[in-house]
Amino acid sequence: MKRLPWSLIVGGTITAILIFAAIVSQFWTPVDPTAINIGNRLKGPGEGGILGSDHFGRDELSMIMAGAWVSLGIAFSAIAVGGLIGTVLGVVAASERGPFEALIMRVNDVLFAFPPVLSAILLAAILGGGPVTTIVAIALFMIPVFARVTRSAALQIWARDYILAARMSGKSSARITLEHVIPNIAAQIIVQIAIQTGLGILTEAGLSFLGLGIAPPTPSWGRMLADAQTYLTIAPHLVFVPGIAICTAVLGLNLLGDGLRDLTDPRRRQST
Amino acid sequence: MRHIAQSLVGLIITLLVVSFVIFLVMEAVPGDPAEIILGMSAAPDTLAALRSQLGLDQPFLVRYSNWLIGLLQGDLGDSYTYSTSVSQLIGERLEVTLPLTGLAALLSVLISVPLGVLAAARPNGLVDMFASLFSQIGIAVPNFWVGLLLILGVALTFGWFPAGGFPGWDAGFWSALNALILPSIALAIPQAAVLTRVTRAAVIEVTNEDFVRTARAKGATPSHALWRHIVPNAMIPIVTMLGMQISVLIAGAVLVENVFTLPGMGTLAYQALAQRDLIVIQNVVLFFAAIVMGINFLVDALYTVLDPRLRVRR
């Protein structure tokens, strides 16, 4: 029995707790996360709920749980869209080569020039802020990220002897891509999904912080921090709680990605 | 040289495509700029007059090419809400954003390169453990949260640096610089975390190369081999990462400027959005995108300087 990398265990545990909290929040939270209770305003941790309460007396723990659902939902949606398009572009570029590949890489350069905050500002001018703007802005940036990773991974597979054998046996390049290339780069794609989900959560928090993300009263970690800014000196716990939540979530996903990489890439395992 | 010329042509084509995409997106924005400027109650003929003054009654492609010609001449048009030209507005805001991002990039290199090199010099040593802890946490913290923590823990507690705002460079070099210290630290920490990781990996990889063994066999001391043979050869991935991170730095500037209420480019874009000042959004977004692509081009060109082998190969 191989020993699992510690990063996989720690990262996997944090991610599992995060997903569990997000799902549970849809059925149960200690208090309704949108319930306003002015009598319970700006209470510290312990006095008004386990993690305290905000300027409307809303329960921080409940908001963090509900915020996990929003963060993960937006990050996963963005990856489902951007990751899929990027992966398809990457494997097609690797199998077709030539002018088509050059065109795809050029499109990637264009997309890469727009950090999510910029595309979100552009999109918000048309659509206003909200989940769609956030998801599209993050997804647009994920396309070149996934396209680059899958293209270079797929190119390495295409250089292998067994691809030559598959070609000799008369398989089309589409079939080779589906039967040989994608299964062999799947591990690298999964690693990217874990790491990019972390980045997606960071970006979502940033966009909500700017007020371009999901609209109130739906709780969101980024907006909790934006609200906390007003009460920095009176209620510093409002800065710590959502910040630590974001940090832990991203850290967990990054560790999970690292652990998966160590597990699936034998070269890395030897070197570490 | 041929490679550089080729990628320069590529850069110009990409810039054209990007500008077209931005123009197209702004075209889809609901609402009429003339109405944004004059307000909902303006008379129809006044609106029509302003529209023709702004050239809004002309066909799409004519307006697009007018914008491009203006760009080449440095004339970006006038802001809808600020009574000044967009180019002047961008110029003023750059006085904040440029030093802010520059300082952050410098800080991140000053933190990450020594830390990454020392970590790689003794893998699994004490420094290495600290470096990997720093990079794991640093990558996971949002820069705007670091900003809030710095305001709370440094600005409000010790009062060494202002908690926000920018006095302008006219108020004196040091007081202006002082206002940028905490924001640039907030911007630099996540950056430094990524770079530390890349530096460590690059140095370890070069350490295993044959020429390092040769240098050591010829009597080079470990530290001589490290700083004179290994580190210069590890610069390529570090510079590449720094170039790729420029887009992250610019995106981060929008957030950090917001936290510290700095009147920079990010705040400008954000306020323009709130005021529906479309012409400002259009130009600021293009400006940011052009910087990202320009820096990536420079990094690409730098390769040939940093690694003579590439001059022959390409």
Side-chain angles (χ1 to χ4, degrees):
Chain A
M1 178 72 190
K2 264 186 308 193
R3 259 189 74 204
L4 292 175
W6 70 271
S7 48
L8 184 69
I9 297 168
V10 177
T13 311
I14 295 176
T15 310
I17 294 173
L18 179 70
I19 294 175
F20 182 71
I23 293 174
V24 167
S25 79
Q26 293 305 294
F27 307 103
W28 176 86
T29 44
V31 185
D32 177 359
T34 56
I36 292 172
N37 178 0
I38 294 300
N40 202 28
R41 237 177 141 243
L42 299 175
K43 289 275 164 63
E47 2 176 335
I50 298 173
L51 298 177
S53 60
D54 75 351
H55 58 297
F56 285 131
R58 290 176 296 193
D59 181 48
E60 283 283 298
L61 177 63
S62 305
M63 288 175 80
I64 290 290
M65 286 175 68
W69 176 263
V70 172
S71 274
L72 276 178
I74 286 189
F76 279 144
S77 314
I79 294 215
V81 178
L84 191 67
I85 299 176
T87 303
V88 169
L89 288 179
V91 290
V92 172
S95 89
E96 297 305 317
R97 313 297 313 259
F100 189 70
E101 182 186 28
L103 180 71
I104 288 180
M105 296 330 277
R106 192 47 80 191
V107 170
N108 277 332
D109 287 348
V110 172
L111 289 174
F112 206 63
F114 290 95
V117 171
L118 277 198
S119 15
I121 286 177
L122 266 183
L123 286 168
I126 310 178
L127 305 169
V132 176
T133 299
T134 314
I135 291 170
V136 174
I138 301 174
L140 281 178
F141 196 70
M142 294 289 171
I143 294 175
V145 171
F146 275 86
R148 284 180 183 187
V149 171
T150 48
R151 173 178 162 270
S152 70
L155 282 177
Q156 284 177 15
I157 303 294
W158 274 98
R160 299 281 173 84
D161 286 343
Y162 59 80
I163 295 289
L164 199 63
R167 269 190 179 160
M168 302 270 271
S169 70
K171 285 188 182 177
S172 67
S173 42
R175 224 179 124 192
I176 295 177
T177 299
L178 284 177
E179 289 178 6
H180 299 288
V181 176
I182 290 181
N184 279 300
I185 62 171
Q188 291 175 59
I189 298 175
I190 292 170
V191 168
Q192 274 306 308
I193 289 177
I195 292 172
Q196 297 302 324
T197 305
L199 267 183
I201 288 178
L202 268 182
T203 313
E204 189 275 330
L207 293 176
S208 303
F209 183 77
L210 287 175
L212 298 173
I214 212 152
T218 310
S220 124
W221 295 346
R223 212 189 37 257
M224 288 170 79
L225 280 175
D227 291 342
Q229 212 174 347
T230 322
Y231 306 97
L232 211 52
T233 43
I234 345 171
H237 69 280
L238 296 180
V239 174
F240 292 116
V241 172
I244 291 171
I246 298 171
C247 248
T248 317
V250 181
L251 186 69
L253 284 157
N254 281 340
L255 287 175
L256 180 66
D258 285 354
L260 287 172
R261 186 179 309 171
D262 289 347
L263 193 69
T264 51
D265 186 348
R267 266 178 312 143
R268 266 182 79 95
R269 206 164 37 225
Q270 275 162 11
S271 66
T272 47
Chain B
M1 281 318 283
R2 209 173 126 243
H3 170 67
I4 294 182
Q6 261 174 3
S7 54
L8 188 63
V9 173
L11 173 72
I12 292 168
I13 294 172
T14 317
L15 268 173
L16 276 173
V17 174
V18 166
S19 68
F20 190 74
V21 170
I22 294 174
F23 200 79
L24 210 60
V25 170
M26 297 322 282
E27 200 58 19
V29 174
D32 172 11
E35 215 174 85
I36 295 169
I37 298 172
L38 295 172
M40 299 282 270
S41 56
D45 52 334
T46 328
L47 284 172
L50 183 64
R51 239 175 259 141
S52 88
Q53 191 197 326
L54 293 171
L56 294 170
D57 50 354
Q58 290 182 331
F60 175 78
L61 284 176
V62 174
R63 278 179 291 128
Y64 173 63
S65 49
N66 282 343
W67 179 43
L68 284 190
I69 294 166
L71 279 174
L72 291 177
Q73 295 167 337
D75 173 18
L76 312 180
D78 291 324
S79 158
Y80 295 164
T81 50
Y82 300 89
S83 50
T84 168
S85 73
V86 178
S87 47
Q88 195 187 343
L89 213 50
I90 290 182
E92 283 167 13
R93 300 309 184 97
L94 274 182
E95 288 181 12
V96 177
T97 302
L98 223 53
L100 171 67
T101 45
L103 210 57
L106 181 71
L107 263 176
S108 65
V109 171
L110 288 182
I111 298 171
S112 63
V113 171
L115 190 58
V117 170
L118 291 176
R122 239 178 259 267
N124 298 323
L126 210 59
V127 181
D128 190 23
M129 260 144 67
F130 172 75
S132 79
L133 189 71
F134 168 73
S135 53
Q136 279 291 4
I137 293 175
I139 290 170
V141 292
N143 49 29
F144 56 96
W145 188 52
V146 180
L148 288 175
L149 292 182
L150 287 173
I151 292 178
L152 193 63
V154 180
L156 297 178
T157 312
F158 299 103
W160 296 331
F161 305 100
F166 186 70
W169 293 102
D170 299 334
F173 178 75
W174 290 113
S175 60
L177 189 70
N178 222 20
L180 294 180
I181 299 285
L182 292 184
S184 56
I185 293 176
L187 208 49
I189 284 182
Q191 217 69 3
V194 176
L195 279 180
T196 303
R197 235 182 179 190
V198 173
T199 307
R200 177 185 179 274
V203 170
I204 286 182
E205 195 166 327
V206 177
T207 307
N208 294 328
E209 296 227 12
D210 289 341
F211 66 81
V212 176
R213 203 171 24 164
T214 311
R216 293 280 285 119
K218 284 173 75 181
T221 60
S223 79
H224 179 88
L226 182 66
W227 294 104
R228 298 298 296 274
H229 295 283
I230 298 173
V231 173
N233 280 293
M235 283 318 279
I236 284 202
I238 300 172
V239 172
T240 307
M241 203 42 163
L242 195 62
M244 281 176 66
Q245 290 284 311
I246 289 295
S247 71
V248 182
L249 208 61
I250 282 176
V254 178
L255 288 158
V256 170
E257 284 173 8
N258 189 292
V259 174
F260 287 91
T261 51
L262 296 174
M265 290 282 283
T267 321
L268 179 65
Y270 182 67
Q271 284 167 343
L273 179 67
Q275 295 159 339
R276 308 202 64 74
D277 198 339
L278 303 182
I279 192 161
V280 172
I281 301 182
Q282 176 183 324
N283 284 299
V284 168
V285 170
L286 177 68
F287 189 86
F288 273 148
I291 287 189
V292 172
M293 289 186 292
I295 301 262
N296 281 325
F297 164 74
L298 283 180
V299 168
D300 205 37
L302 251 181
Y303 286 162
T304 45
V305 179
L306 286 176
D307 192 344
R309 281 172 295 182
L310 290 176
R311 277 178 227 158
V312 193
R313 211 186 297 160
R314 288 196 180 175

